[in-house]
Amino acid sequence: NNHEEAERGLKEVINFVNSIKNDDLISGMMSIHASFTVGDEIVRKTVEEAKKLDIPMTVHTSEGLVDLYHNLETSGERTVERLDRLGVLGPKTVLAHCVHVNDHEMDLIARSKSSVAHNPMSNMLNAVGVAPIPSMLEKGIKVGLGNDGWIYDPFENMRCALTVHRLASGNPSAIGPEEIFRMATIDGARCYNMEDRLGSLEKGKLADIVILDGTRV
């Protein structure tokens, strides 16, 4: 809403992350709401502080056309281009949504080793479109499956992710269940560089185990 509120939010995150340094079960990250609600100065400050604290960053990126149009009108850049200029992209950055991105932007994401959080059910709720996830996977971009605070059932999100891309492309082979399962598990962990601790059932990793009775599904 204003610069002072943004500064307070940044300080709050810094204080929180510093307060949990010795806690093995809690981790923190910097979250910029979206590029169309945050100015260049606070974005640069957030990048700087995240690097100092060595924590991940996330930002809503071209979820709707309003984000894309805002950046084109104010800076002459597409959303990912602006984030790249401001130093946001990198191996510790997770871009949420990325519905309205073109090939050049996806190349920037891939080259910077940034990741994408795919939220298909949230995108459907807000009627913003379908993210080009199959193209991202072809370019080697890490994609994790999220919910953006709407439907928390991971199986519902997995089912939606499988079917929505087939519908959008008109191709029943556009994406497969194995890719979706990886997005919901190990690739989600990879997005946050936590694949050595989470995301698969392996010796030495943390794990929550769910056993499903396939005969009752």
Side-chain angles (χ1 to χ4, degrees), residues 32 42-52 57 86-88:
I32 302 169
I42 197 68
V43 172
R44 288 194 181 98
K45 281 188 177 181
T46 304
V47 171
E48 180 182 342
E49 294 297 337
K51 287 181 179 177
K52 286 181 184 177
M57 291 180 54
L86 295 174
V88 173

Side-chain angles (χ1 to χ4, degrees), residues 29 50 54-58 90-94 113-114 191-193:
M29 66 185 300
D54 193 28
I55 58 174
M57 291 180 54
T58 187
K92 286 183 173 289
T93 296
V94 181
K113 294 182 168 45
S114 301
C191 287
Y192 295 95
N193 299 293

Side-chain angles (χ1 to χ4, degrees), residues 1-190:
N1 293 320
N2 56 62
H3 183 76
E4 290 73 25
E5 185 179 56
E7 289 283 358
R8 286 198 304 271
L10 182 58
K11 289 178 182 176
E12 182 181 353
V13 175
I14 293 170
N15 291 337
F16 172 73
V17 171
N18 284 327
S19 75
I20 60 168
K21 282 185 175 179
N22 298 318
D23 195 317
D24 292 334
L25 296 179
I26 304 175
S27 58
M29 66 185 300
M30 286 288 184
S31 179
I32 302 169
H33 171 248
S35 66
F36 71 94
T37 61
V38 182
D40 284 7
E41 181 183 354
I42 197 68
V43 172
R44 288 194 181 98
K45 281 188 177 181
T46 304
V47 171
E48 180 182 342
E49 294 297 337
K51 287 181 179 177
K52 286 181 184 177
L53 294 168
D54 193 28
I55 58 174
M57 291 180 54
T58 187
V59 55
H60 287 222
T61 304
S62 281
E63 177 182 8
L65 286 171
V66 62
D67 195 3
L68 173 60
Y69 291 162
H70 168 83
N71 287 295
L72 288 172
E73 291 170 2
T74 58
S75 67
E77 302 162 297
R78 294 180 67 91
T79 309
V80 177
E81 292 172 335
R82 175 175 171 239
L83 295 176
D84 183 43
R85 172 174 59 83
L86 295 174
V88 173
L89 302 189
K92 286 183 173 289
T93 296
V94 181
L95 305 176
H97 303 294
C98 291
V99 174
H100 299 284
V101 295
N102 63 14
D103 278 338
H104 173 59
E105 290 177 287
M106 286 189 280
D107 288 339
L108 288 175
I109 295 170
R111 283 201 296 268
S112 65
K113 294 182 168 45
S114 301
S115 303
V116 171
H118 179 37
N119 307 282
M121 297 193 78
S122 175
N123 297 155
M124 291 172 67
L125 174 69
N126 294 320
V128 293
V130 180
I133 299 301
S135 296
M136 293 183 195
L137 296 178
E138 287 179 6
K139 291 177 181 291
I141 295 172
K142 289 178 290 185
V143 179
L145 187 62
N147 56 62
D148 198 21
W150 188 42
I151 301 296
Y152 292 100
D153 184 337
F155 298 105
E156 287 297 316
N157 282 284
M158 291 165 69
R159 184 179 293 111
C160 177
L162 178 69
T163 54
V164 73
H165 295 291
R166 296 181 176 191
L167 174 64
S169 65
N171 178 6
S173 300
I175 199 164
E178 295 84 3
E179 293 162 307
I180 299 299
F181 187 71
R182 286 183 61 86
M183 279 188 231
T185 54
I186 189 63
D187 285 348
R190 288 177 63 224

